[in-house]
Every structure is written in C-alpha cells, then in structure tokens.
Amino acid sequence: QGLRPPLPRRSQRLVSPLGGCAPARMSGERGVEFATLLGGALVWAPEAKATPSGSPGIARAALSLCNDKAESTAVGVYTVPHYTSATYGRAFGPLMLPDVLLFCRGLDAALSRQAEGHRLVLTTPHGDPEYRANAAVLLGAYLVVGHEWTPRQVEAALAREASARFTCAWSTEPAEQGVLTVGDCWEGMAMAKALSFLTAEMVKDDVEMKAACASYTHQSHRYDCSWIVPGRLMVGADPVTVICDPNPVTCNSLLPDGDSTALPGEEAEGGAAFPSEGAEDGSNLRRESVGSVDTVCRDFSGYVPMASSHSPGSFEDLDYVSFLRASGVGLVLRANFHNENGMPKPSYSDRALEPYGIRHANVRVVDREGGLPKKKDFAKALEVARDFWDQDPSGAVFVHCKGGFGRSVILACCLAIERFDVSGRAMLGWARIARPGAFTSPKQEMFIAGLKGREDVRTAAGLRADCAELTTKAAPSCTSCVVQ
C-alpha cells in the first residue's frame, strides 16, 4: 500500500504521425512545450499564458470546445449521474463519453472553419493538472477517432501527457496513487474505434454525434446503465435500486404491469439473502461487517438534478424490463446479493424476468471494500454468457450489481476481454469513460490492468487457456482443464 502502481510498458520505438521525424515542439515559457499537430493547424499548449509565436492563431481553453455543440453548459466537467460530487471522493476524470464526442465534434468544426495559414491553439489553466489530464484524453481521442492515429503516435506527439494518472473513482487518495493513465484512455479509444464502438462519423457529423449523446444520456439518466460493448454488453445498477430513486427523470417501474416494488424476492421465497458469518470461502460474513463501498450507496432521501448535454427527445420512457427487451437484452447476470447495505428494497425475484423472455443467472460476489470475483465467479459468468451467445449471437447481456460500478464492471470487462482478446489497460480506459464511477477500488483497477488478453481471463477463471472446450464454452465443469 502507498506504492505507485507501475506504468504500462510501452514501445520504445515511437512512430511520428507527421512523417519520419518527431512532431514539432517549440519551447515556450519555462517548463512549457508547444506541440504542433495536423500539419501545424493545431497546437497543444498546456498551461501556456500566451500563444506561441509564429503564424496567427486563436487560443481556446481546451475543454471549452465541449460547449460548442452542446445544448447545455453542464459539460466538460467530471460527473457521475445520480451522485453528488461530494460522494465520489477526489475523482476528477476521465470525462464521460458525451464529453468526448462533444469535444471531438467541436474541435473538428473549429478546425474546418479555420482560415488557411492560421492555427488553433489549445490551452489549459496554469497549475491545474486535473484539467490538463482530462483535456489530453479528449485531444488524443480526437486524433485516434477522427484522424486514425494510433496510441503510439499520440504518445509521440503528446509525450508528457501519457503518464498522467487518474485517481480511482470514489477514492480519497491523490491521483499519484492511481492506476489509470491518460495513455490507457488513448488505448481505450483506439480499441473502441477498432471494434466500431466509436466511428469517425460521430466526430464529423452533428446528427451522428447528437444521436450518440442522446442515447447515452437517456440510458444513464433514466436506467443508470451504460454499454461497455454497444449492442452486446451492458452494465448498470440493480433495477430495484433504480426504480426506488425519487428523481422524476429515473425509471420508476420494473415490469410492464407497473407492479414492480411489490415483487417477492429470494429472501421472502426462502432463498439466499445476504450471507451470514462462518463460511469457509469467506463469503458468509455478517451483513454489518461487509463494507460495501459507502460512496456507491445511493442517497434515496433526495435526488441529484442531472443536466443533459442533449435532450433525449423522442426516446420512449419504458419500464425497466421493456427497456432491456428494446435494447436486445436476453440475459441478465446479477452480481449482488438479494439484500445489501444501501438497498432500499430487496432485489427482484430470480423468476421475475422469465415471463418476458429474459434469462437470468446469479454470480454473487461479496462487496467488501470493492468486491473482486473469485475463480468460480469468473468461470460461471464465462459459461453462462457463452451459452447464451452460442444460442443468440446477436443478443445482449446485462450485468448488474448493487450500484453498477464495481462487481458488475469487473465481470463485464472480463467478458469483453475474453470475447475480443483486447488488453486490460485498454478496457480499463474505455470503461472509465463509458461508465463514470466504474471500479470502486484500486485493486479492481489493478486486476483489470494486469490482464493482457483472452488467455489471462481464462486463467483467472481457473481454466487452462489451451483447452479446446473453451473455444465453444468456458465451462467450470470441464474437469480436465480446471487449474489446480
């Protein structure tokens, strides 16, 4: 504890996006470097008090570009929907996906209006490393999504920014103790671009950008959920905690018939509620002793007003189950217990979703100071998800825990890494942007960051990566491949 997590290992050979030489840098004030980008049309001048000398240019505070295409001024600032700023500790970024898209679209439009021979100079406030880190993520996202740059090329151009760190969401520790770096966020953007989570049209076209922002806002504000893999893998809070939120913007009904809060749960049906003390696996702990991260216990005595960057417009305000069905969800994985600290009502019955054509499985993980699933939990999640996708390749999976930030995000990220064979560092960066508040403890972030790809996820599930059974089903029942 107290040690800085290691930085990701990066290639020593950096390729310049401007040709065979490194991006041009001009020395400015003491400790300030100006990086020229896109053939000189754009200049990155963080913490500069004056624009660099040379051809004429217009200076803009970098994050102000988020406002150019927004329908609200509440953009370009780190927020976690449904929670006050006091609850998420010292977390300051990275900014959420709509901010990324608004910045990219605003920057692209500003460059297109620029007179020939002029430069757009992006600045950040002097002595504000948090603003600078957030702006660097957004600038890198624009270069990756809008101009096909690789993370290595972005790092070559913005070398001093890549290693800046973000504190863990909900943490009171300083950013220097964080796991996530600006470079990880660039990796996440590149992964999202390569897998078509993000497209160049979202940067180049107002209609595409507004549609993406509106869809995201509607999901996060009304249903407290976000896509980790658009159309395939969604994470969020327990639907019962969502419908109990007094905010009028939030969904207030679980089932189409509206009788959602009266559903009997497992506790009433004689099933497992929160574990009691004494089990050998450590999961059976007194409810009072299980330290669910306090900051992901929503305050149900009031609600947090939520301003949107774009009005949801024509989105239909459905009950939760109808929303899942409209989103293509055919399987729900629940990572929380039936009744936990911070839940105003017990969770829904295991059988509540079946009449609506949605399968359900429990992968319960104890939330103690930020729960980390065990091997059997990873194995079960892999098996159930693979069985579902084998039968319905185009179907979507919804993974939730109590608040939708810790256990559910860990499981969803592992499912995505196993499915697409991407790095944990890239998934960490993407998840923090796609789901603000994602990961509730540094150990969760370090676990994901340590995964190199598919084989590491299978190993974490206690399964041998070379087992042929895994090509069709990640099955813990395959006794020949269980890691002893």
Side-chain angles (χ1 to χ4, degrees):
Q1 291 184 347
L3 297 177
R4 286 166 57 94
L7 286 170
R9 298 181 64 183
R10 302 190 185 278
S11 171
Q12 297 298 312
R13 184 174 181 271
L14 300 177
V15 181
S16 168
L18 302 181
C21 59
R25 292 190 178 88
M26 299 172 288
S27 296
E29 306 156 42
R30 181 181 299 178
V32 176
E33 286 187 343
F34 303 137
T36 60
L37 311 167
L38 304 179
L42 181 63
V43 177
W44 170 246
E47 303 192 48
K49 296 180 180 178
T51 58
S53 59
S55 57
I58 299 175
R60 289 285 303 270
L63 296 184
S64 71
L65 288 163
C66 296
N67 293 292
D68 287 4
K69 296 291 182 177
E71 296 177 2
S72 166
T73 57
V75 294
V77 178
Y78 181 74
T79 59
V80 178
H82 305 281
Y83 294 84
T84 65
S85 58
T87 60
Y88 40 83
R90 300 179 67 166
F92 60 88
L95 303 183
M96 68 173 66
L97 186 57
D99 290 317
V100 175
L101 298 178
L102 286 164
F103 173 90
C104 290
R105 183 69 197 107
L107 177 55
D108 195 70
L111 289 172
S112 68
R113 295 191 302 266
Q114 195 163 270
E116 186 175 354
H118 285 61
R119 299 177 300 173
L120 178 61
V121 181
L122 300 185
T123 66
T124 69
H126 184 72
D128 191 342
E130 297 179 357
Y131 186 110
R132 179 171 176 168
N134 279 324
V137 169
L138 301 191
L139 177 56
Y142 173 72
L143 296 172
V144 167
V145 178
H147 289 272
E148 305 286 344
W149 285 29
T150 67
R152 298 287 83 77
Q153 290 173 321
V154 177
E155 185 176 349
L158 309 176
R160 294 187 61 181
E161 317 304 332
S163 61
R165 294 175 183 266
F166 291 94
T167 189
C168 181
W170 320 100
S171 175
T172 58
E173 297 297 325
E176 290 77 9
Q177 301 296 326
V179 178
L180 178 70
T181 68
V182 168
D184 295 333
C185 296
W186 296 337
E187 295 280 357
M189 290 294 101
M191 178 198 72
K193 178 67 163 56
L195 296 175
S196 299
F197 302 171
L198 299 177
T199 65
E201 287 72 23
M202 295 177 183
V203 172
K204 304 292 184 182
D205 183 79
D206 281 350
V207 174
E208 291 283 342
M209 181 273 296
K210 289 181 178 180
C213 288
S215 176
Y216 180 97
T217 298
H218 186 245
Q219 290 179 3
S220 64
H221 287 192
R222 181 164 177 81
Y223 302 101
D224 197 5
C225 64
S226 306
W227 289 111
I228 293 296
V229 178
R232 291 293 177 270
L233 194 55
M234 179 188 289
V235 295
D238 189 305
V240 171
T241 69
V242 175
I243 65 175
C244 289
D245 192 319
N247 193 326
V249 173
T250 306
C251 176
N252 59 15
S253 179
L254 178 64
L255 302 178
D257 59 16
D259 185 21
S260 56
T261 58
L263 281 172
E266 286 183 293
E267 190 172 53
E269 297 168 358
F274 207 87
S276 59
E277 191 173 13
E280 293 181 0
D281 64 1
S283 64
N284 286 354
L285 301 165
R286 280 188 180 276
R287 180 177 177 185
E288 294 78 14
S289 71
V290 177
S292 179
V293 179
D294 291 341
T295 50
V296 294
C297 290
R298 193 180 305 184
D299 181 4
F300 293 93
S301 64
Y303 63 87
V304 181
M306 294 179 291
S308 302
S309 57
H310 287 282
S311 171
S314 61
F315 287 100
E316 187 176 0
D317 291 337
L318 303 170
D319 59 88
Y320 211 104
V321 167
S322 295
F323 160 72
L324 292 178
R325 295 180 65 188
S327 301
V329 172
L331 171 65
V332 172
L333 298 179
R334 175 168 51 189
N336 56 292
F337 287 83
H338 171 66
N339 194 9
E340 296 185 355
N341 290 338
M343 293 182 65
K345 291 182 180 292
S347 189
Y348 56 89
S349 165
D350 284 357
R351 298 184 292 274
L353 309 181
E354 292 178 0
Y356 306 96
I358 299 177
R359 304 185 202 177
H360 178 269
N362 291 314
V363 186
R364 301 190 191 276
V365 179
V366 174
D367 183 13
R368 186 172 189 177
E369 298 175 355
L372 195 62
K374 299 179 182 297
K375 284 185 177 182
K376 63 181 179 62
D377 302 321
F378 288 123
K380 182 175 182 180
L382 288 173
E383 176 186 16
V384 173
R386 276 184 168 270
D387 281 346
F388 169 73
W389 277 319
D390 283 347
Q391 297 177 44
D392 186 1
S394 62
V397 176
F398 174 50
V399 188
H400 77 77
C401 54
K402 180 184 67 180
F405 300 116
R407 296 163 286 180
S408 59
V409 173
I410 284 280
L411 290 173
C413 285
C414 285
L415 289 175
I417 292 169
E418 198 275 338
R419 187 168 178 82
F420 297 105
D421 196 20
V422 295
S423 77
R425 282 273 176 187
M427 188 56 64
L428 173 64
W430 168 249
R432 285 285 299 268
I433 292 170
R435 177 70 175 165
F439 305 104
T440 59
S441 70
K443 70 178 181 181
Q444 289 180 343
E445 290 197 323
M446 293 190 76
F447 173 80
I448 289 295
L451 299 175
K452 301 297 188 296
R454 178 180 294 135
E455 291 187 5
D456 284 353
V457 173
R458 292 173 175 175
T459 299
L463 304 167
R464 277 182 21 207
D466 59 350
C467 176
E469 180 78 5
L470 285 171
T471 61
T472 57
K473 183 170 70 172
S477 59
C478 179
T479 56
S480 64
C481 69
V482 173
V483 176
Q484 302 297 325

